[in-house]
Amino acid sequence: MSIKQKTSDLQRRMREALMGGGQQAIERQKATGKLTARERIIALLDPKSFHEYDLFVEHAAKDFDMDKKYLPGDGVITGTGTLAGHPVCIYAQDFTVAGGSLGWMHAKKITKIMDHAMKLKVPIIGINDSGGARIQEGVNSLAGYGEIFYRNTQASGVIPQISVILGPCAGGAVYSPALTDFVFVVENISKMFITGPEVIKTVLGEEISMEELGGAKVHAEITGNAHFYAKSEEECFEQIKQLCSYIPWNNMKKAERFPKKAPKTKEYKIENILPADPRMPYDVRHVIKAIADNSEFLEVQELFAANIVIGFGRINGDTVGFVANQPLVLAGVLDVDSSDKAARFIRYCDAFNIPLVTLVDLPGYLPGIDQEHAGVIRHGAKVLYAYSEATVPKITVIMRKAYGGGYIAMCSHHLRADFVFAWPTAEIAVMGPEGAANIIFRKEIMSAENPEEMRRQKVEEYKAKFANPYVAAAYGYIDAVIEPGETRRMLMHSLEISKDKIVEVPMKKHGIPPF
């Protein structure tokens, strides 16, 4: 065969493989509102940057007449490309080929590109659209999942791992996204569950739709398994690009620096955000936007545990991770879910050299039988552990309430914050004035001729003496009491002088966080 004939043969083979499951399968995929696997990769990466590998890999199954079937690329596309000019490794399961089911060679393609990502120290992006394990391949399918989970764990904290759920992701398959850093879901397209509606109906007699069980909204709002929620695949890809602009490419680097931009102070005037009445709520995201460069803030897990706000912004051109109590929801208390949400984000920022800015306004941990029985002690301890463990620059601003265990947990000096600032409106105490006055002055209030008037007087007395930042400042627990308008300037300075901090930590294999 001549070179020309061999080239023609190659082109023919490529055309066949690139058709995936064939025209009919592609049309069925598009009829459900989904892009094909290759279209997704091309839409996400920089134009003409994608290079595909292992196009001619075939499955190795022989039983159940599988040896007679041709599955192009074994149902998964792998390769490298660039995002904003930076290299990434990527794979996308092709639902048009045997439902994107995972067999041994399918898994080998994924683990091979994951190994490349670890060697090259670049992010790995996985687009999931699969019916699950390929039953015909038996234990080899399970082995494939195990190999992926192992690599997810080894890569954790070394390179960013991003999971995009653009179809079903069921059974054992769900644990790979759960082991990665960020999970993206799309309305009416993403489905994640361990056992589907049919199994639940058979075993438990309960009826529920696929969407209600594990749809995108469920994981964005209720379970917390998803970090970003989009209404279309295109919006999802834009979210991924935005996220990648804030994070470093591996744990040995810092995030890319951008030109410094002033906040939009006409829109977000920091002096006017807090209400005069300390019992009134406000949106803490306005405070973040009053501080961050160009008032830009990428919120993570926006719909889940909304009583705490986490996300990325920039100060003076550098990425920071914001952690802030949200007085709009449950007065900004810490509970089981918000503790999990904050702790995981703090550990991500610490692993990838992203400084932390903590904005404090909370009455403490949420009381109640449900919370106690749900393990608020263990979950709340995760916040203490994460802040104590973190060695990146940690700057805290107490804006209003910082009561009890909440004061300690929200990156106090006692957990080794580098700098703690407080606004004049800060109230730092064991508990709120009303509760404290009822305990401390119980006898005076009960024996008074007018108990309500006495209670009011004692509350005011307590406020004047303890519900302010100056007692904590007198002990050195607050580094400076500042006007709200000084906050960005103080953060810029403290982040700059903390950027090369060195922290000595005890020798150990690893800690035992309160999972």
Side-chain angles (χ1 to χ4, degrees), residues 246 256-263 287-297 312-322 354-359 395 397 486-496:
Y246 283 103
E256 183 180 5
R257 189 166 204 188
F258 281 68
K260 169 188 169 184
K261 290 182 179 178
V287 178
I288 295 172
K289 290 178 180 179
I291 295 169
D293 285 11
N294 204 35
S295 299
E296 291 173 347
F297 175 56
F312 300 107
R314 294 187 184 89
I315 292 181
N316 208 23
D318 291 318
T319 295
V320 298
F322 284 102
I354 297 173
L356 288 158
V357 172
T358 303
L359 304 176
I395 319 295
V397 180
E486 295 180 289
T487 305
R488 178 174 160 90
R489 183 177 64 80
M490 296 297 281
L491 287 173
M492 286 169 58
H493 176 71
S494 50
L495 287 166
E496 177 65 25

Side-chain angles (χ1 to χ4, degrees), residues 96-317:
T96 69
V97 179
S101 58
L102 185 139
W104 177 243
M105 294 307 293
H106 179 121
K108 288 272 284 182
K109 285 182 70 173
I110 293 175
T111 55
K112 186 177 174 183
I113 201 68
M114 292 175 77
D115 290 342
H116 274 307
M118 279 292 277
K119 281 187 293 185
L120 304 174
K121 295 292 183 289
V122 301
I124 177 80
I125 300 172
I127 299 177
N128 296 258
D129 186 3
S130 166
R134 190 174 298 153
I135 297 169
Q136 296 92 328
E137 297 202 28
V139 71
N140 276 335
S141 297
L142 303 180
Y145 279 126
E147 292 292 331
I148 293 170
F149 302 160
Y150 175 79
R151 283 168 175 80
N152 284 139
T153 306
Q154 294 301 306
S156 180
V158 181
I159 55 172
Q161 298 184 85
I162 294 170
S163 293
V164 193
I165 314 300
L166 295 181
C169 182
V174 298
Y175 287 111
S176 177
L179 287 167
T180 59
D181 302 321
F182 299 102
V183 177
F184 290 75
V185 293
V186 176
E187 186 175 85
N188 296 325
I189 289 180
S190 309
K191 308 281 187 296
M192 294 175 73
F193 35 74
I194 300 288
T195 53
E198 287 302 319
V199 175
I200 290 175
K201 185 178 179 181
T202 303
V203 176
L204 300 171
E206 297 173 352
E207 293 193 26
I208 189 168
S209 71
M210 204 176 280
E211 192 68 28
E212 291 170 326
L213 179 64
K217 209 64 175 287
V218 168
H219 289 300
E221 275 188 1
I222 300 173
T223 68
N225 287 328
H227 300 85
F228 292 93
Y229 171 83
K231 294 197 171 179
S232 67
E233 295 195 22
E234 290 77 12
E235 183 187 356
C236 173
F237 298 147
E238 289 305 312
Q239 290 175 339
I240 296 169
K241 292 174 187 176
Q242 197 178 357
L243 171 68
C244 288
S245 75
Y246 283 103
I247 59 177
W249 247 223
N250 61 56
N251 65 345
M252 302 302 290
K253 293 185 175 179
K254 291 189 177 181
E256 183 180 5
R257 189 166 204 188
F258 281 68
K260 169 188 169 184
K261 290 182 179 178
K264 297 174 182 174
T265 50
K266 287 185 180 176
E267 195 172 344
Y268 302 102
K269 198 168 180 62
I270 197 165
E271 294 88 349
N272 299 337
I273 295 173
L274 258 66
D277 184 344
R279 295 169 299 182
M280 295 298 290
Y282 61 93
D283 191 341
V284 77
R285 290 173 293 195
H286 292 172
V287 178
I288 295 172
K289 290 178 180 179
I291 295 169
D293 285 11
N294 204 35
S295 299
E296 291 173 347
F297 175 56
L298 178 64
E299 188 167 355
V300 178
Q301 289 186 304
E302 181 181 356
L303 303 177
F304 174 67
N307 42 322
I308 201 156
V309 171
I310 58 172
F312 300 107
R314 294 187 184 89
I315 292 181
N316 208 23

Side-chain angles (χ1 to χ4, degrees), residues 323-360:
V323 181
N325 307 117
Q326 174 56 289
L328 276 182
V329 181
L330 294 173
V333 292
L334 283 174
D335 58 5
V336 168
D337 287 342
S338 62
S339 294
D340 282 0
K341 175 179 169 179
R344 193 176 188 279
F345 182 72
I346 293 162
R347 298 195 83 196
Y348 179 85
C349 290
D350 187 48
F352 288 98
N353 311 309
I354 297 173
L356 288 158
V357 172
T358 303
L359 304 176
V360 184

Side-chain angles (χ1 to χ4, degrees), residues 56-70:
F56 298 123
V57 163
E58 295 185 28
H59 71 83
K62 294 183 173 58
D63 298 327
F64 305 106
D65 290 332
M66 284 295 288
D67 53 339
K68 299 182 180 65
K69 290 186 178 178
Y70 168 57

